[in-house]
Amino acid sequence: GIQVEQSPPDLILQEGANSTLRCNFSDSVNNLQWFHQNPWGQLINLFYIPSGTKQNGRLSATTVATERYSLLYISSSQTTDSGVYFCAVGFQGAQKLVFGQGTRLTINP
Amino acid sequence: DTEVTQTPKHLVMGMTNKKSLKCEQHMGHRAMYWYKQKAKKPPELMFVYSYEKLSINESVPSRFSPECPNSSLLNLHLHALQPEDSALYLCASSQDPGWSTDTQYFGPGTRLTVL
């Protein structure tokens, strides 16, 4: 069946550290988005990246569609980066985004 | 401006109450969505409206009734809810009704508690 798996489920880091979050998906995709959900519940769109590499400040993302994975890189972490990071995938032929279970990131000062 | 607004931010209701959640976007997007999110879980799709018509209902109980009065507004009418319906309700929109290939933008959510 269609699956989206994120790893690690939890990550605790000190401020200033770098991190890599991974999203594996089970089939061909035509949509992949990374979201950050802050402690108040707001889902913020980070990247729309069904393939290729994008960068936005300290964040960057790479999707290798042929190998069915995407990576989100966070450099020089800040406490405001804390929250849950979701990968959401739109599979070809399907009609909805499928969310992974998320990675809960905690950045300690 | 990529803003989706939702009201109210918080809502507490009894099981016999009728209430409504409201979502608004002024980005000219033609697809709008309702999601439900329980604590420590990812969002789950409830409904999709495409060009103001209901295109997807993910087998949601009839005590949840969506409505799209115009292209900018999306309502979710609530009636006879159960305590297990307590959750964060998120609204989203995207430009292209062929929505599986388009960026979705989310509102801040309504945190609903059913007593």
Side-chain angles (χ1 to χ4, degrees), chain A residues 40-106:
Chain A
W40 297 272
Q42 172 81 62
L43 267 172
I44 299 163
N45 194 304
L46 298 176
F47 294 103
Y48 170 79
I49 188 166
S51 64
T53 297
K54 290 186 178 180
Q55 181 157 6
N56 185 2
R58 297 181 295 104
L59 274 61
S60 64
T62 295
T63 297
V64 184
T66 53
E67 297 187 22
R68 299 183 181 168
Y69 73 88
S70 183
L71 301 174
L72 178 69
Y73 304 96
I74 305 173
S75 64
S76 304
S77 299
Q78 300 175 358
T79 55
T80 51
D81 294 330
S82 296
V84 182
Y85 289 80
F86 287 105
C87 165
V89 176
F91 290 96
Q92 290 180 5
Q95 289 190 309
K96 65 180 183 179
L97 286 180
V98 178
F99 279 76
Q101 292 297 310
T103 291
R104 183 171 299 274
L105 177 65
T106 303

Side-chain angles (χ1 to χ4, degrees), chain B residues 11 30 38 58 63 68 72-74 79 104 113 115:
Chain B
L11 179 61
R30 303 317 301 267
K38 301 284 279 185
E58 289 284 294
R63 57 186 184 269
C68 190
S72 301
L73 278 176
L74 186 65
H79 173 54
Q104 289 189 26
T113 303
L115 301 176

